[in-house]
Amino acid sequence: MVPTGPYGSWPSPIDAALAASHDGAPQFVGMVGDEVWWTAPRPDEGGRRALVRLRTDGAEQSVLPAPWDVRSRFVEYGGQPWAGTAREADGPLVVFVNFADQRLYAYAPDAADAGAGPRPLTPRSAVGGGLRWVDPVIHDGEVWCVLEESLGESPTDVRRVIAAVPLDGSAAEDRGRVRELSDGAHRFVTGPRISPDGTQAAWIGWDHPRMPWDGTEVLVAEIPAAPGAFSGVRRLAGGEDESVCQVEWDRDGTLLFVSDRGGWWELYRLRRDGRRISGALCLGREEEFGGPIWLIGQRWFHPLDSGLIAVIHGKGATALGILDPETGELVDTAGPWTAWSATLAACGDRVVGVAASPRSGYEVVELSTATGRARVIGSPHDDPVDPACYPEPQIRTFTGPGGRDVHAHIYPPHHPGRIAPAEELPPYVVWAHGGPTGHAPLVLDLEIAYFTSRGIGVAEVNYGGSTGYGREYRNRLRGQWGVVDVEDCAAVALALADEGTADPRRLAIRGGSAGGFTAAASLACTDVYACGTLKYPVLDLLAFADETHDLESRYLESLVGPLATCQETYAERSPAAHADRVTAPFLLLQGLDDPVCPPVQAERFLALFAGRGIPHAYLAFEGEGHGFRRADTLERALEAELSLYTQVFGIDRADVPRLELGS
């Protein structure tokens, strides 16, 4: 007989330390000769990202020891931080951005002088400012990439250009040796994609107040024969109401790009004369073949030497497919994976990406287009516990206000060795994802399993405004942030309660960044939740535009409205303006080095609760930015969150440190 125990009290082999050690995912795969390289999280090494190579003999090796951290701070979120090339002599050469000083370095790990370590290619700059680099490509003795240069004290006083950095290291002490290739006409740009004949470069640009999912432009320019700036820059696609998220050249010099001009991010192509081929390359599918540019250098498709194209596509869930651009035929990779990250690499008949499923975390996967077989080749996490302890998610669509669809993933409490009393309903925590122009994928997440294996359900809501369901769904949040997201999360929570899935008295909400705003607004504007967890949240909309970084400094103009004419709306939507309405206990988690949602937002919010008698706790973490990376931080935050729920939901368990709730 299976033992009976109240929901939330079940013992679990998934502790906070285990969940923390498995946080993060491989990113930015690439091919260096026949080897596959990528960056990998290291929560137990201060949260750094290691550069990893998979040798041809199958051995996985970290290229650089700690404290080297291969990560860019370009527009704070970063992007493609490395590039590599194979050489006959001295082995591979890699260039990379080091997080601590944001300098670009070169390193040949197999060369005779490898013991001397990486050598700098770019000048020193102020920590956290100065010069930043992203999306590099090695070209003709130089590194072509995007340069972000701080011009003053304000986070919005910056310029960005495509630049060429000498590989010989001559710019390491001389900024003047860095050649600027583009003219800085656009405030934001991606890295250059060079045509097969080396005569043209293509990239994407956009300007305030648009975000890249609102409208971007495809730009093409001539590359001069002698060293010099690009010439003849022209716009070939995109515009104010058309979002292009990726551009690449195929083997024949045809320009491929992903645009949402038809309501979905779909794949198109342009001939060299700039004429667009009529219709998307894969017709008749209401699916996304792209996504939002949060990280510079993301890839949702990759042209292959055969003329075929590897594509990541789907509605909600995603798959890796091989597309014939001439016939439109699309063949998907067989396998369990339900989410593919926006990173692809290819060499010959090999395609490499990063994927996950409800039963496995993110791992590096290689597809052979010759055989059609896919296999895991790197960074797999061996099941640390019995997979029977993992949650069994449900894909659900709920009805929100006005009859609109609301997409969600429901993770009921699940434990192979425990059941709850028949008369008891489980507590549930609604998770609001960040962005808000983002998406919660259907994948194994040990943070979710940490709760479900103890008897607490989780509902991940892809509220209106989320990506993965077309531009119309994404645009539901335009002017409605703090309304549609709050309503959709509440609709899911109340539906679970109404149908007898969740205990209506034991509902909570949690979110990070933009999701933290939604969680805070939900506590202020609804009585649905008994408590909430706010992670590095936006709390004061009026102050946010002046306090955040450049990329998102005008984001609220589309989410709320122009500040000049909508100040009352900004105030009305701000959780900080309605702190007096918050009566539920809450936990506030904040990184003290966060440039996106700075600590001052949390500190001002907390001051509004002094002496009000509302139970709450504030945990601030030194050395953490926007999103936690260090194992000890992740562990402490997760245990504190569980303690909040046990106290508020009346759950008896003594195996988690008690969170002191002040008032």
Side-chain angles (χ1 to χ4, degrees):
M1 178 179 291
V2 178
T4 298
Y7 286 114
S9 69
W10 302 343
S12 173
I14 303 171
D15 61 17
L18 180 64
S21 69
H22 285 67
D23 189 74
Q27 286 183 317
F28 304 116
V29 296
M31 303 292 297
V32 182
D34 290 331
E35 293 184 353
V36 182
W37 292 42
W38 64 88
T39 67
R42 295 287 188 263
D44 295 325
E45 297 178 16
R48 78 179 184 108
R49 289 199 71 88
L51 184 60
V52 175
R53 66 190 291 193
L54 185 68
R55 292 184 172 274
T56 53
D57 63 2
E60 188 176 312
Q61 179 183 49
S62 184
V63 177
L64 297 158
W68 292 102
D69 186 353
V70 181
R71 183 160 52 104
S72 171
R73 282 190 62 179
F74 187 90
V75 299
E76 297 302 349
Y77 291 126
Q80 178 75 37
W82 73 276
T85 186
R87 304 177 300 175
E88 291 186 7
D90 296 327
L93 173 68
V94 63
V95 297
F96 67 93
V97 179
N98 182 49
F99 181 77
D101 58 9
Q102 287 300 290
R103 298 178 83 182
L104 198 62
Y105 287 81
Y107 185 52
D110 296 346
D113 61 352
R119 55 184 177 85
L121 299 180
T122 55
R124 292 181 178 86
S125 61
V127 175
L131 309 177
R132 300 177 181 181
W133 316 84
V134 78
D135 206 8
V137 58
I138 299 173
H139 177 70
D140 200 19
E142 295 179 313
V143 182
W144 287 15
C145 54
V146 187
L147 161 63
E148 178 179 77
E149 185 171 18
S150 175
L151 303 176
E153 294 298 322
S154 170
T156 61
D157 192 8
V158 294
R159 64 189 293 267
R160 300 174 184 88
V161 294
I162 298 173
V165 178
L167 263 175
D168 62 12
S170 58
E173 302 297 334
D174 183 3
R175 166 68 173 81
R177 295 284 295 171
V178 176
R179 296 194 302 118
E180 296 189 3
L181 302 176
S182 65
D183 57 10
H186 286 76
R187 191 168 185 94
F188 302 96
V189 291
T190 63
R193 300 294 179 256
I194 302 168
S195 63
D197 61 8
T199 64
Q200 296 187 98
W203 67 96
I204 295 170
W206 72 95
D207 294 291
H208 282 321
R210 289 175 290 164
M211 296 299 287
W213 40 87
D214 297 325
T216 58
E217 298 179 350
V218 175
L219 304 165
V220 175
E222 303 299 321
I223 299 175
F230 296 152
S231 63
V233 180
R234 57 200 187 277
R235 182 179 69 85
L236 295 186
E240 291 188 4
D241 299 313
E242 179 182 353
S243 170
V244 176
C245 61
Q246 186 187 346
V247 60
E248 305 281 348
W249 301 93
D250 74 3
R251 61 176 185 174
D252 299 323
T254 297
L255 197 63
L256 302 168
F257 65 96
V258 172
S259 165
D260 72 347
R261 64 191 302 263
W264 298 80
W265 273 304
E266 296 175 290
L267 189 59
Y268 297 85
R269 62 182 171 183
L270 289 165
R271 294 298 188 190
R272 289 185 66 91
D273 60 9
R275 290 184 302 150
R276 179 180 292 162
I277 299 298
S278 60
L281 295 184
C282 192
L283 295 172
R285 306 176 77 107
E286 289 193 340
E287 294 182 348
E288 304 280 38
F289 285 73
I293 302 178
W294 281 109
L295 305 175
I296 304 299
Q298 291 174 294
R299 282 184 166 89
W300 291 268
F301 73 89
H302 200 300
L304 306 180
D305 294 341
S306 62
L308 303 176
I309 306 171
V311 296
I312 295 170
H313 70 101
K315 181 178 180 180
T318 53
L320 173 65
I322 302 299
L323 172 66
D324 185 332
E326 303 304 325
T327 66
E329 182 182 6
L330 178 61
V331 179
D332 284 341
T333 302
W337 305 286
T338 52
W340 289 79
S341 300
T343 179
L344 288 173
C347 180
D349 62 2
R350 300 163 64 199
V351 178
V352 179
V354 174
S357 79
R359 307 298 289 177
S360 60
Y362 284 98
E363 50 201 6
V364 183
V365 179
E366 179 179 287
L367 167 69
S368 168
T369 59
T371 66
R373 295 179 180 175
R375 63 191 181 101
V376 176
I377 61 169
S379 282
H381 288 303
D382 294 333
D383 288 315
V385 297
D386 185 349
C389 295
Y390 295 162
E392 298 179 349
Q394 305 164 2
I395 301 174
R396 298 279 303 272
T397 300
F398 295 85
T399 301
R404 63 178 182 248
D405 288 344
V406 180
H407 302 292
H409 303 144
I410 307 303
Y411 297 82
H414 176 76
H415 193 297
R418 287 293 188 280
I419 58 173
E423 68 280 3
E424 184 183 1
L425 291 175
Y428 262 80
V429 183
V430 172
W431 284 25
H433 64 70
T437 309
H439 180 85
L442 185 71
V443 300
L444 176 64
D445 183 338
L446 287 192
E447 278 201 18
I448 293 177
Y450 177 80
F451 292 107
T452 58
S453 61
R454 286 167 168 77
I456 299 174
V458 172
E460 281 193 306
V461 182
N462 281 311
Y463 48 79
S466 301
T467 58
Y469 306 97
R471 184 163 186 139
E472 182 180 351
Y473 194 86
R474 197 167 78 240
N475 282 348
R476 287 184 187 177
L477 211 56
R478 291 187 68 86
Q480 296 297 311
W481 194 35
V483 178
V484 166
D485 50 323
V486 171
E487 291 177 345
D488 286 0
C489 287
V492 172
L494 293 173
L496 292 175
D498 290 345
E499 70 186 25
T501 297
D503 184 342
R505 299 166 300 173
R506 295 193 294 173
L507 297 171
I509 188 166
R510 73 104 87 155
S513 187
F517 166 84
T518 300
S522 296
L523 294 182
C525 301
T526 78
D527 60 359
V528 174
Y529 308 101
C531 61
T533 300
L534 320 177
K535 302 170 64 178
Y536 35 89
V538 181
L539 296 165
D540 183 344
L541 298 183
L542 282 168
F544 179 74
D546 292 328
E547 294 172 346
T548 192
H549 61 145
D550 187 45
L551 176 66
E552 295 181 88
S553 62
R554 306 281 296 274
Y555 194 4
L556 299 186
E557 294 196 21
S558 60
L559 292 174
V560 181
L563 180 59
T565 58
C566 298
Q567 289 196 26
E568 290 185 3
T569 305
Y570 278 60
E572 178 62 29
R573 303 270 182 86
S574 294
H578 302 294
D580 59 312
R581 300 179 187 172
V582 177
T583 58
F586 65 89
L587 167 64
L588 180 51
L589 303 168
Q590 179 68 48
L592 292 178
D593 294 340
D594 190 339
V596 179
C597 296
V600 66
Q601 289 252 330
E603 292 160 2
R604 286 197 302 259
F605 187 72
L606 289 169
L608 299 172
F609 288 86
R612 286 193 53 217
I614 305 301
H616 64 278
Y618 177 52
L619 300 181
F621 301 97
E622 292 186 4
E624 292 285 10
H626 196 64
F628 302 150
R629 295 176 176 272
R630 299 179 176 181
D632 54 348
T633 301
L634 294 162
E635 182 177 350
R636 177 73 180 99
L638 200 54
E639 289 180 338
E641 185 177 357
L642 177 60
S643 180
L644 172 70
Y645 302 150
T646 59
Q647 293 181 56
V648 174
F649 295 157
I651 297 169
D652 183 20
R653 61 183 316 140
D655 60 347
V656 61
R658 182 177 177 82
L659 176 69
E660 294 301 323
L661 296 173
S663 57

